[in-house]
Amino acid sequence: PGDVSVVATALTERQVEIRVFKLGNDVVALDSLRGGGSWEQIALLTNVDDVDSRPPLAAGQPEQRQYRVQAYAGNQRVGAISPIVSVVTVP
């Protein structure tokens, strides 16, 4: 297993396409940060593609979302946290 990474692309209707590069890991933890809050784990991913379709914090407004991933094995996070990627949603 190696280090993991993530790419995020804004789609329409507040959705963000997530693509993870698991590099030999079976599962990765996906974290998100938005609205000046704290990092929150929003998914454990076994697939390489996912869509973040959470509603915006302020209805009808674009928002910046940041993402990072970390390998997950044996019910815990392992290895390095990926570099952070940012995207602005389309309301």
Side-chain angles (χ1 to χ4, degrees):
D3 292 337
V4 294
S5 62
V6 62
V7 174
T9 305
L11 303 173
T12 59
E13 304 289 328
R14 80 179 182 269
Q15 296 180 334
V16 177
E17 179 183 41
I18 306 293
R19 175 167 287 250
V20 296
F21 298 90
K22 300 187 325 178
L23 302 173
N25 298 284
D26 292 329
V27 181
V28 295
L30 173 64
D31 299 331
S32 178
L33 176 71
R34 61 187 182 150
S38 300
W39 285 102
E40 61 177 311
Q41 180 177 306
I42 60 171
L44 289 175
L45 301 175
T46 56
N47 295 322
V48 296
D49 293 314
D50 195 47
V51 174
D52 177 2
S53 57
R54 294 174 294 165
L57 296 173
Q61 299 296 314
E63 69 183 18
Q64 181 179 17
R65 295 183 184 179
Q66 294 179 299
Y67 299 95
R68 66 184 187 188
V69 291
Q70 187 174 14
Y72 191 86
N75 292 322
Q76 64 182 356
R77 291 167 174 258
V78 295
I81 296 172
S82 74
I84 296 167
V85 296
S86 296
V87 66
V88 175
T89 62
V90 178

